[in-house]
Amino acid sequence: MAVIITLKALLPGGLHYSMYPESYKLKRFDIKIEALTLYFVPALIVNYFTLLFNKRYEKLLSTYKSQNGKYMIGFMVISLLSFLLSLFL
């Protein structure tokens, strides 16, 4: 989501990232459907093909040993900072 927000800030103002035309008045249900299709579903598809397709997670588990959460804090901090940075662009 941070990537999409950053791209919207960097792209020219004439580009509209939505399923609906700019003149369409969005209702609550339309906003929820749009959020699902534009943000949640693409991330779900990418994660599926990255981790679950052809049992890739088994290969990854055998290749990389457990770090007992060693990188969790770094990942959380970087994710939070990228989101906050995207809000202020």
Side-chain angles (χ1 to χ4, degrees):
M1 192 180 273
V3 172
I4 297 295
I5 293 170
T6 304
L7 285 176
K8 284 181 79 169
L10 296 176
L11 292 174
L15 294 175
H16 185 64
Y17 186 73
S18 177
M19 293 177 10
Y20 303 103
E22 289 185 46
S23 61
Y24 183 74
K25 180 88 170 150
L26 290 176
K27 297 175 180 69
R28 275 191 232 164
F29 184 71
D30 294 335
I31 292 171
K32 291 175 185 173
I33 293 295
E34 184 178 40
L36 276 175
T37 56
L38 293 179
Y39 298 110
F40 183 70
V41 173
L44 190 67
I45 291 170
V46 167
N47 283 324
Y48 171 76
F49 282 109
T50 303
L51 298 173
L52 301 175
F53 187 69
N54 284 337
K55 297 184 179 182
R56 181 161 168 78
Y57 62 92
E58 291 177 355
K59 297 173 191 170
L60 291 171
L61 286 174
S62 66
T63 303
Y64 299 103
K65 302 300 176 211
S66 174
Q67 300 294 325
N68 295 327
K70 181 178 176 183
Y71 299 112
M72 181 184 68
I73 298 295
F75 173 76
M76 289 174 59
V77 168
I78 289 172
S79 297
L80 180 64
L81 289 176
S82 67
F83 179 70
L84 292 174
L85 179 68
S86 70
L87 289 178
F88 294 109
L89 283 180

